[in-house]
PDB file of all heavy atoms in Angstrom:
ATOM      1  N   GLU A 133     -27.995  14.674   3.158  1.00 94.00           N
ATOM      2  CA  GLU A 133     -28.397  15.138   1.836  1.00 94.00           C
ATOM      3  C   GLU A 133     -29.255  16.374   2.041  1.00 94.00           C
ATOM      4  O   GLU A 133     -29.617  16.704   3.176  1.00 94.00           O
ATOM      5  CB  GLU A 133     -29.145  14.046   1.080  1.00 94.00           C
ATOM      6  CG  GLU A 133     -30.358  13.514   1.806  1.00 94.00           C
ATOM      7  CD  GLU A 133     -31.027  12.376   1.035  1.00 94.00           C
ATOM      8  OE1 GLU A 133     -30.351  11.387   0.709  1.00 94.00           O
ATOM      9  OE2 GLU A 133     -32.237  12.509   0.759  1.00 94.00           O
ATOM     10  N   ILE A 134     -29.566  17.045   0.954  1.00 95.00           N
ATOM     11  CA  ILE A 134     -30.323  18.279   1.115  1.00 95.00           C
ATOM     12  C   ILE A 134     -31.701  17.958   1.694  1.00 95.00           C
ATOM     13  O   ILE A 134     -32.435  17.131   1.162  1.00 95.00           O
ATOM     14  CB  ILE A 134     -30.443  19.028  -0.236  1.00 95.00           C
ATOM     15  CG1 ILE A 134     -29.047  19.452  -0.677  1.00 95.00           C
ATOM     16  CG2 ILE A 134     -31.375  20.238  -0.115  1.00 95.00           C
ATOM     17  CD1 ILE A 134     -28.957  19.869  -2.119  1.00 95.00           C
ATOM     18  N   GLY A 135     -31.998  18.561   2.828  1.00 96.00           N
ATOM     19  CA  GLY A 135     -33.315  18.368   3.424  1.00 96.00           C
ATOM     20  C   GLY A 135     -33.417  17.210   4.390  1.00 96.00           C
ATOM     21  O   GLY A 135     -34.420  17.053   5.067  1.00 96.00           O
ATOM     22  N   ALA A 136     -32.381  16.353   4.452  1.00 96.00           N
ATOM     23  CA  ALA A 136     -32.474  15.209   5.364  1.00 96.00           C
ATOM     24  C   ALA A 136     -31.095  14.685   5.738  1.00 96.00           C
ATOM     25  O   ALA A 136     -30.142  14.855   4.995  1.00 96.00           O
ATOM     26  CB  ALA A 136     -33.277  14.082   4.717  1.00 96.00           C
ATOM     27  N   SER A 137     -31.037  14.108   6.916  1.00 95.00           N
ATOM     28  CA  SER A 137     -29.820  13.412   7.330  1.00 95.00           C
ATOM     29  C   SER A 137     -30.209  12.006   7.752  1.00 95.00           C
ATOM     30  O   SER A 137     -31.282  11.800   8.307  1.00 95.00           O
ATOM     31  CB  SER A 137     -29.153  14.141   8.489  1.00 95.00           C
ATOM     32  OG  SER A 137     -28.514  15.297   8.015  1.00 95.00           O
ATOM     33  N   HIS A 138     -29.311  11.055   7.461  1.00 97.00           N
ATOM     34  CA  HIS A 138     -29.608   9.659   7.779  1.00 97.00           C
ATOM     35  C   HIS A 138     -28.472   9.073   8.604  1.00 97.00           C
ATOM     36  O   HIS A 138     -27.346   9.538   8.529  1.00 97.00           O
ATOM     37  CB  HIS A 138     -29.737   8.843   6.489  1.00 97.00           C
ATOM     38  CG  HIS A 138     -30.673   9.443   5.490  1.00 97.00           C
ATOM     39  ND1 HIS A 138     -32.003   9.111   5.417  1.00 97.00           N
ATOM     40  CD2 HIS A 138     -30.459  10.390   4.538  1.00 97.00           C
ATOM     41  CE1 HIS A 138     -32.575   9.823   4.445  1.00 97.00           C
ATOM     42  NE2 HIS A 138     -31.656  10.610   3.901  1.00 97.00           N
ATOM     43  N   VAL A 139     -28.810   8.057   9.375  1.00 97.00           N
ATOM     44  CA  VAL A 139     -27.775   7.368  10.151  1.00 97.00           C
ATOM     45  C   VAL A 139     -27.761   5.903   9.745  1.00 97.00           C
ATOM     46  O   VAL A 139     -28.799   5.244   9.758  1.00 97.00           O
ATOM     47  CB  VAL A 139     -28.051   7.482  11.675  1.00 97.00           C
ATOM     48  CG1 VAL A 139     -26.922   6.818  12.453  1.00 97.00           C
ATOM     49  CG2 VAL A 139     -28.201   8.938  12.086  1.00 97.00           C
ATOM     50  N   ASP A 140     -26.577   5.425   9.360  1.00 97.00           N
ATOM     51  CA  ASP A 140     -26.411   4.007   9.025  1.00 97.00           C
ATOM     52  C   ASP A 140     -25.546   3.372  10.113  1.00 97.00           C
ATOM     53  O   ASP A 140     -24.399   3.768  10.309  1.00 97.00           O
ATOM     54  CB  ASP A 140     -25.727   3.887   7.647  1.00 97.00           C
ATOM     55  CG  ASP A 140     -25.453   2.431   7.268  1.00 97.00           C
ATOM     56  OD1 ASP A 140     -25.894   1.523   8.020  1.00 97.00           O
ATOM     57  OD2 ASP A 140     -24.804   2.206   6.226  1.00 97.00           O
ATOM     58  N   LEU A 141     -26.095   2.399  10.816  1.00 97.00           N
ATOM     59  CA  LEU A 141     -25.361   1.811  11.945  1.00 97.00           C
ATOM     60  C   LEU A 141     -24.702   0.469  11.601  1.00 97.00           C
ATOM     61  O   LEU A 141     -24.283  -0.261  12.497  1.00 97.00           O
ATOM     62  CB  LEU A 141     -26.287   1.686  13.157  1.00 97.00           C
ATOM     63  CG  LEU A 141     -26.722   3.050  13.736  1.00 97.00           C
ATOM     64  CD1 LEU A 141     -27.758   2.882  14.844  1.00 97.00           C
ATOM     65  CD2 LEU A 141     -25.519   3.840  14.252  1.00 97.00           C
ATOM     66  N   ASN A 142     -24.606   0.142  10.321  1.00 97.00           N
ATOM     67  CA  ASN A 142     -23.905  -1.100   9.958  1.00 97.00           C
ATOM     68  C   ASN A 142     -22.470  -1.109  10.467  1.00 97.00           C
ATOM     69  O   ASN A 142     -21.943  -2.149  10.820  1.00 97.00           O
ATOM     70  CB  ASN A 142     -23.880  -1.283   8.428  1.00 97.00           C
ATOM     71  CG  ASN A 142     -25.204  -1.809   7.908  1.00 97.00           C
ATOM     72  OD1 ASN A 142     -26.089  -2.155   8.689  1.00 97.00           O
ATOM     73  ND2 ASN A 142     -25.343  -1.852   6.594  1.00 97.00           N
ATOM     74  N   ARG A 143     -21.847   0.060  10.466  1.00 96.00           N
ATOM     75  CA  ARG A 143     -20.446   0.123  10.888  1.00 96.00           C
ATOM     76  C   ARG A 143     -20.301   0.214  12.411  1.00 96.00           C
ATOM     77  O   ARG A 143     -19.217   0.007  12.957  1.00 96.00           O
ATOM     78  CB  ARG A 143     -19.779   1.333  10.216  1.00 96.00           C
ATOM     79  CG  ARG A 143     -18.284   1.195  10.068  1.00 96.00           C
ATOM     80  CD  ARG A 143     -17.695   2.410   9.400  1.00 96.00           C
ATOM     81  NE  ARG A 143     -17.808   3.604  10.235  1.00 96.00           N
ATOM     82  CZ  ARG A 143     -17.363   4.813   9.887  1.00 96.00           C
ATOM     83  NH1 ARG A 143     -16.783   4.983   8.724  1.00 96.00           N
ATOM     84  NH2 ARG A 143     -17.508   5.844  10.691  1.00 96.00           N
ATOM     85  N   ALA A 144     -21.400   0.570  13.083  1.00 97.00           N
ATOM     86  CA  ALA A 144     -21.325   0.730  14.538  1.00 97.00           C
ATOM     87  C   ALA A 144     -20.966  -0.602  15.181  1.00 97.00           C
ATOM     88  O   ALA A 144     -21.627  -1.610  14.957  1.00 97.00           O
ATOM     89  CB  ALA A 144     -22.663   1.229  15.077  1.00 97.00           C
ATOM     90  N   GLY A 145     -19.881  -0.602  15.952  1.00 98.00           N
ATOM     91  CA  GLY A 145     -19.477  -1.817  16.648  1.00 98.00           C
ATOM     92  C   GLY A 145     -18.476  -2.678  15.891  1.00 98.00           C
ATOM     93  O   GLY A 145     -18.063  -3.724  16.381  1.00 98.00           O
ATOM     94  N   VAL A 146     -18.079  -2.249  14.681  1.00 98.00           N
ATOM     95  CA  VAL A 146     -17.038  -2.998  13.972  1.00 98.00           C
ATOM     96  C   VAL A 146     -15.715  -2.805  14.734  1.00 98.00           C
ATOM     97  O   VAL A 146     -15.406  -1.691  15.156  1.00 98.00           O
ATOM     98  CB  VAL A 146     -16.901  -2.499  12.504  1.00 98.00           C
ATOM     99  CG1 VAL A 146     -15.643  -3.054  11.838  1.00 98.00           C
ATOM    100  CG2 VAL A 146     -18.142  -2.859  11.707  1.00 98.00           C
ATOM    101  N   PRO A 147     -14.950  -3.887  14.950  1.00 98.00           N
ATOM    102  CA  PRO A 147     -13.705  -3.726  15.708  1.00 98.00           C
ATOM    103  C   PRO A 147     -12.719  -2.794  15.017  1.00 98.00           C
ATOM    104  O   PRO A 147     -12.483  -2.909  13.810  1.00 98.00           O
ATOM    105  CB  PRO A 147     -13.110  -5.135  15.785  1.00 98.00           C
ATOM    106  CG  PRO A 147     -14.070  -6.041  15.154  1.00 98.00           C
ATOM    107  CD  PRO A 147     -15.190  -5.261  14.543  1.00 98.00           C
ATOM    108  N   LEU A 148     -12.181  -1.880  15.790  1.00 98.00           N
ATOM    109  CA  LEU A 148     -11.288  -0.870  15.261  1.00 98.00           C
ATOM    110  C   LEU A 148     -10.034  -0.877  16.131  1.00 98.00           C
ATOM    111  O   LEU A 148     -10.115  -0.827  17.345  1.00 98.00           O
ATOM    112  CB  LEU A 148     -11.991   0.478  15.352  1.00 98.00           C
ATOM    113  CG  LEU A 148     -11.492   1.637  14.520  1.00 98.00           C
ATOM    114  CD1 LEU A 148     -11.591   1.298  13.043  1.00 98.00           C
ATOM    115  CD2 LEU A 148     -12.327   2.883  14.813  1.00 98.00           C
ATOM    116  N   MET A 149      -8.895  -0.957  15.477  1.00 98.00           N
ATOM    117  CA  MET A 149      -7.643  -0.948  16.221  1.00 98.00           C
ATOM    118  C   MET A 149      -7.017   0.426  16.037  1.00 98.00           C
ATOM    119  O   MET A 149      -6.982   0.929  14.920  1.00 98.00           O
ATOM    120  CB  MET A 149      -6.756  -2.031  15.625  1.00 98.00           C
ATOM    121  CG  MET A 149      -5.585  -2.445  16.441  1.00 98.00           C
ATOM    122  SD  MET A 149      -4.850  -3.954  15.753  1.00 98.00           S
ATOM    123  CE  MET A 149      -4.468  -3.433  14.098  1.00 98.00           C
ATOM    124  N   GLU A 150      -6.564   1.042  17.111  1.00 98.00           N
ATOM    125  CA  GLU A 150      -5.903   2.332  16.973  1.00 98.00           C
ATOM    126  C   GLU A 150      -4.416   2.178  17.266  1.00 98.00           C
ATOM    127  O   GLU A 150      -4.027   1.632  18.299  1.00 98.00           O
ATOM    128  CB  GLU A 150      -6.518   3.381  17.912  1.00 98.00           C
ATOM    129  CG  GLU A 150      -5.782   4.713  17.792  1.00 98.00           C
ATOM    130  CD  GLU A 150      -6.475   5.886  18.497  1.00 98.00           C
ATOM    131  OE1 GLU A 150      -7.684   5.790  18.770  1.00 98.00           O
ATOM    132  OE2 GLU A 150      -5.783   6.882  18.762  1.00 98.00           O
ATOM    133  N   ILE A 151      -3.600   2.642  16.345  1.00 98.00           N
ATOM    134  CA  ILE A 151      -2.146   2.535  16.484  1.00 98.00           C
ATOM    135  C   ILE A 151      -1.591   3.953  16.577  1.00 98.00           C
ATOM    136  O   ILE A 151      -1.720   4.742  15.642  1.00 98.00           O
ATOM    137  CB  ILE A 151      -1.543   1.804  15.277  1.00 98.00           C
ATOM    138  CG1 ILE A 151      -2.171   0.409  15.167  1.00 98.00           C
ATOM    139  CG2 ILE A 151      -0.018   1.703  15.397  1.00 98.00           C
ATOM    140  CD1 ILE A 151      -2.154  -0.148  13.773  1.00 98.00           C
ATOM    141  N   VAL A 152      -1.012   4.281  17.717  1.00 98.00           N
ATOM    142  CA  VAL A 152      -0.534   5.656  17.954  1.00 98.00           C
ATOM    143  C   VAL A 152       0.993   5.674  17.896  1.00 98.00           C
ATOM    144  O   VAL A 152       1.657   4.936  18.615  1.00 98.00           O
ATOM    145  CB  VAL A 152      -1.004   6.160  19.334  1.00 98.00           C
ATOM    146  CG1 VAL A 152      -0.571   7.609  19.548  1.00 98.00           C
ATOM    147  CG2 VAL A 152      -2.518   6.038  19.467  1.00 98.00           C
TER     148      VAL A 152
END
Side-chain angles (χ1 to χ4, degrees):
E133 56 183 55
I134 296 165
S137 285
H138 309 267
V139 183
D140 177 6
L141 293 174
N142 281 353
R143 205 180 67 180
V146 168
L148 198 61
M149 196 168 58
E150 178 170 340
I151 302 154
V152 183

